[in-house]
Amino acid sequence: MYHKNTRGYKAFWVHRISGLLILGYLYLHLVLLSAILLPSGAAHFNAVARVVEQPGFVVADIVLFAIIVVHALNGIRLIAADFGAMIRENRLAIWLTMGIGAVMVFIAVLMLLPHIVG
Amino acid sequence: MGVLVSPAFSDFVGYEVRVLTVTIRIARSNGEQAFVVETLAQQTVLDALFYIQNELEPSLSFRCSCRVGMCGSCGMVINGKESLACRTSLNPLGAEVTVQPLRHIPVIKDLVVDMEGFFSKYRLVDPYLKPRPGLVNPIVAPPSGHLREEIDLGLECISCGLCLSACDVVGMVPEFLGPAALNRAYNLVADVRDDLAEQRLSMVGQSRVGVWQCHTHMSCVEVCPKNIAPTRAISHLKRTLIRRRITGHRPRPMPKVQRIVQEEV
Amino acid sequence: MAAESPIKTSPESEKTSSTPVSWAWILQRFSGLLLLVFLGGHLWVEHFMNTSAAVVASRLTHVVDDSLDIGLLISVLYHGLNGFRGIIQEMLPEGRGAWLNYAVFGLGLITVVWGLDILWAFWYHQPFLTL
Ligand code: SF4
Ligand code: FES
């Protein structure tokens, strides 16, 4: 009724859902790459590659990158906890996770900006 | 926060005496009920519950015993966080306070829960020390020294059940032993005088029941009133089990306890 | 207190899963750490955007890149599908997970073959198994 869920619980669902999204993307990735399996595959592949270079897809790429970064950094936090590290400091660890993730996504945006704005 | 009662009286007792007006919403067995309570700022949620029971609603049920945070019977969910009512002062909680019974164990009435739901899990890890054969009484791990270092960290548990209530994994998988029982199991496994390590490890190594079910939410660490970190104990058990899985079964060597004990005596 | 209480559960019962859970657990962590290397490398080599067939093909002629991609394929599938299996298994009632292990293992095997075929198509300019 009133229960406020703890930060670890929220992080757990973020981890689960991001993991499932990445798994879904993996299959999408394989489907798109499968253009190469068609007869005269290189031409098909290049056609697909032209499409996914559109700015909209690059923005989606950044979102995907952000999801992967969140999952990876949170995973590192959990493995650290399995070695007994950053357990009492969990609050700090989660903030670190988010901070480092934000910086990494920011760098990715800077690197990909030319592909978005033209 | 609150209204200053009387400067002269405050001077007399040596601190500012303020009165708070707090609305306390209690999740009772027959639905939520709100009470408006005037209390001194220094008072605890347990004091407020007593006031309600004495003056407003005699049928309100809750548990307590020691009133100083050492018996573990007044655990409840206060403003969404598992807390000991006797150790939670009203002052920082604000004008609206919600009080619920502990989660994941059956409610008997109002804020009174059936702690059998907690102790039935606790019992599964055999929460007592069985001395290794050959040790001469008294079997002491001296208060100073490395034998103590490891077990002292988790010994303070008062079986309040706050961690079990805070653990959302128990909510998802009811057979999961939960933080307190696993913390107790680790404490005994880490205790070199104990003879039941094998049984305890095989108990906590099972899927769903044991340590592998822990999703490292660390909610137990946040709520424990004794500042225990059950997650840490669980991580130790995981590593112990993994080490045994990789290296094969290896009984622990007979410890040097005997020598230390004899030196001590 | 209660010193006569016996141990109630037999030691060998690692229930629900035909793979001992401790192996699944440690491999999930291990593959996760591998993925930091493989996926980091993958994204770095791709440079986020570099996708014409010629570029990808030339890149793939190198042994390092080959092993990177095969390693990535296998570890990402283990990590992803094992995580997926865990989520489903947790939702199933106890002792009802045996079919799930086979189903997910089969899915993983098919996907590895699929992924290898894509890599093969880049290495040898035509797939081993054509669509
Ligand atoms: S570990 Fe802490 S929260 Fe859990 S029962 Fe013991 S004292 Fe209470
Ligand atoms: S009454 Fe004993 S811990 Fe609160």
Side-chain angles (χ1 to χ4, degrees):
Chain A
M1 192 175 4
Y2 313 115
H3 198 269
K4 263 186 298 191
N5 291 312
T6 58
R7 53 183 82 86
Y9 180 70
K10 289 175 201 151
F12 163 79
W13 279 109
V14 168
H15 200 68
R16 268 206 167 171
I17 291 166
S18 60
L20 288 174
L21 288 174
I22 295 165
L23 184 64
Y25 171 76
L26 173 70
Y27 277 91
L28 180 68
H29 192 49
L30 287 175
V31 166
L32 292 182
L33 286 176
S34 292
I36 202 78
L37 300 181
L38 296 167
S40 67
H44 290 283
F45 181 86
N46 287 340
V48 172
R50 292 293 80 77
V51 174
V52 298
E53 275 172 17
Q54 304 298 312
F57 283 92
V58 179
V59 172
D61 269 352
I62 292 175
V63 172
L64 173 71
F65 180 70
I67 293 173
I68 293 174
V69 163
V70 163
H71 193 85
L73 291 174
N74 196 46
I76 293 174
R77 182 181 67 88
L78 294 176
I79 292 177
D82 287 332
F83 283 96
M86 301 296 274
I87 289 177
R88 287 182 198 282
E89 301 82 2
N90 187 34
R91 184 193 173 87
L92 171 68
I94 288 184
W95 280 111
L96 272 181
T97 306
M98 295 200 279
I100 297 172
V103 170
M104 287 175 72
V105 172
F106 182 69
I107 293 173
V109 170
L110 287 188
M111 286 175 74
L112 291 182
L113 214 50
H115 296 278
I116 302 173
V117 292
Chain B
M1 229 184 88
V3 183
L4 196 60
V5 175
S6 139
F9 185 60
S10 294
D11 280 349
F12 175 68
V13 294
Y15 55 84
E16 286 191 345
V17 180
R18 288 173 180 275
V19 170
L20 306 176
T21 307
V22 181
T23 306
I24 299 190
R25 296 182 191 285
I26 303 179
R28 303 188 64 190
S29 304
N30 48 5
E32 183 187 292
Q33 198 176 351
F35 303 92
V36 179
V37 172
E38 296 224 317
T39 90
L40 295 180
Q42 287 79 7
Q43 285 187 299
T44 64
V45 173
L46 188 65
D47 294 325
L49 292 178
F50 269 118
Y51 175 80
I52 292 169
Q53 197 186 48
N54 289 337
E55 309 291 336
L56 305 174
E57 178 56 77
S59 72
L60 178 70
S61 303
F62 56 91
R63 265 203 200 104
C64 73
S65 178
C66 68
R67 307 199 197 182
V68 289
M70 57 185 280
C71 73
S73 50
C74 66
M76 42 195 85
V77 182
I78 298 167
N79 275 4
K81 190 184 178 192
E82 280 75 6
S83 324
L84 296 179
C86 68
R87 303 300 292 162
T88 308
S89 96
L90 283 164
N91 200 21
L93 292 180
E96 294 263 327
V97 176
T98 61
V99 183
Q100 292 167 274
L102 292 183
R103 305 186 303 156
H104 306 143
I105 35 183
V107 175
I108 295 173
K109 178 166 181 288
D110 297 347
L111 300 171
V112 177
V113 289
D114 184 1
M115 286 301 278
E116 181 58 18
F118 174 86
F119 285 110
S120 61
K121 294 185 171 187
Y122 207 63
R123 234 177 273 125
L124 279 177
V125 299
D126 295 82
Y128 50 85
L129 185 107
K130 179 166 182 289
R132 310 188 108 198
L135 292 175
V136 184
N137 283 330
I139 311 157
V140 186
S144 58
H146 74 282
L147 291 179
R148 269 279 162 192
E149 263 166 38
E150 197 49 44
I151 57 179
D152 259 358
L153 291 165
L155 265 183
E156 298 288 310
C157 177
I158 55 175
S159 319
C160 60
L162 297 192
C163 52
L164 190 82
S165 171
C167 179
D168 289 289
V169 179
V170 177
M172 291 194 295
V173 182
E175 57 266 47
F176 178 47
L177 284 171
L182 292 173
N183 179 67
R184 185 70 185 141
Y186 170 65
N187 237 15
L188 290 163
V189 167
D191 193 322
V192 283
R193 299 165 295 171
D194 177 57
D195 197 37
L196 290 180
E198 299 306 317
Q199 290 97 312
R200 295 188 213 284
L201 284 172
S202 61
M203 185 72 211
V204 304
Q206 295 171 46
S207 66
R208 277 176 177 260
V209 174
V211 287
W212 311 118
Q213 190 56 55
C214 169
H215 283 306
T216 328
H217 294 178
M218 305 190 227
S219 308
C220 49
V221 186
E222 278 180 43
V223 300
C224 178
K226 291 289 151 182
N227 216 6
I228 295 170
T231 306
R232 187 184 152 281
I234 293 172
S235 79
H236 267 283
L237 286 172
K238 284 172 176 168
R239 295 203 298 282
T240 307
L241 286 161
I242 291 291
R243 213 175 301 122
R244 293 158 67 95
R245 172 70 74 192
I246 291 172
T247 60
H249 174 78
R250 205 180 284 166
R252 294 176 305 167
M254 190 64 178
K256 299 204 188 82
V257 185
Q258 199 59 64
R259 189 176 53 75
I260 292 169
V261 171
Q262 274 154 4
E263 278 168 9
E264 198 73 5
V265 172
Chain C
M1 260 187 63
E4 70 286 352
S5 151
I7 300 284
K8 285 146 206 95
T9 316
S10 59
E12 68 277 10
S13 51
E14 274 196 320
K15 291 172 245 169
T16 311
S17 163
S18 63
T19 321
V21 267
S22 54
W23 279 123
W25 185 87
I26 191 69
L27 285 175
Q28 186 72 351
R29 269 84 194 146
F30 185 67
S31 60
L33 289 176
L34 278 183
L35 275 175
L36 290 180
V37 179
F38 285 139
L39 196 58
H42 182 69
L43 292 178
W44 186 253
V45 169
E46 290 290 346
H47 222 248
F48 297 102
M49 297 284 294
N50 215 352
T51 36
S52 77
V55 174
V56 176
S58 72
R59 189 168 60 68
L60 282 171
T61 51
H62 296 293
V63 174
V64 177
D65 296 333
D66 292 357
S67 15
L68 191 72
D69 281 321
I70 295 175
L72 176 64
L73 180 69
I74 292 172
S75 54
V76 82
L77 277 169
Y78 180 82
H79 191 82
L81 290 177
N82 192 40
F84 177 68
R85 185 189 64 100
I87 293 171
I88 302 294
Q89 193 148 70
E90 204 170 87
M91 292 174 355
L92 293 172
E94 179 157 13
R96 292 293 207 76
W99 60 273
L100 189 68
N101 295 332
Y102 296 111
V104 173
F105 186 76
L107 179 61
L109 219 53
I110 292 168
T111 316
V112 168
V113 171
W114 181 13
L116 284 178
D117 196 31
I118 291 172
L119 292 176
W120 186 285
F122 281 111
W123 297 335
Y124 301 108
H125 305 291
Q126 66 183 49
F128 189 75
L129 307 160
T130 322
L131 275 183

